[in-house]
Amino acid sequence: MAVFDHRTDMPGFIRSFAGSVVRLVRPSGHTWEAPRLPVRPATEREQTQLRALTALHRKQRPPARKEG
């Protein structure tokens, strides 16, 4: 689920919950923890931003090597 963390002013995806703490992740792999209260569902614009970042990071990664 895409959410927005007011403390960091960044959207991200929920990775996990631990009590009142939410672990978030960005498409770049950056993770951080935030209290649940300042986290809200991402707006359509923030979701679009995350999709664009995901596409950018996929393009920047080297292609996977095929085994065999």
Side-chain angles (χ1 to χ4, degrees), residues 3-42:
V3 295
F4 185 82
D5 178 13
H6 286 283
R7 289 178 339 140
T8 60
D9 200 33
M10 286 193 309
F13 296 105
I14 294 177
R15 186 172 190 178
S16 64
F17 292 93
S20 63
V21 176
V22 179
R23 175 160 278 202
L24 303 167
V25 63
R26 295 272 290 180
S28 64
H30 171 72
T31 61
W32 74 101
E33 292 181 350
R36 277 191 343 201
L37 292 179
V39 174
R40 61 160 172 77

Side-chain angles (χ1 to χ4, degrees), residues 35-62:
R36 277 191 343 201
L37 292 179
V39 174
R40 61 160 172 77
T43 64
E44 185 60 39
R45 183 173 185 220
E46 292 157 352
Q47 290 177 32
T48 300
Q49 177 187 9
L50 286 170
R51 284 191 294 271
L53 287 170
T54 299
L56 175 66
H57 283 282
R58 281 188 185 142
K59 284 182 183 179
Q60 290 178 342
R61 271 192 234 151

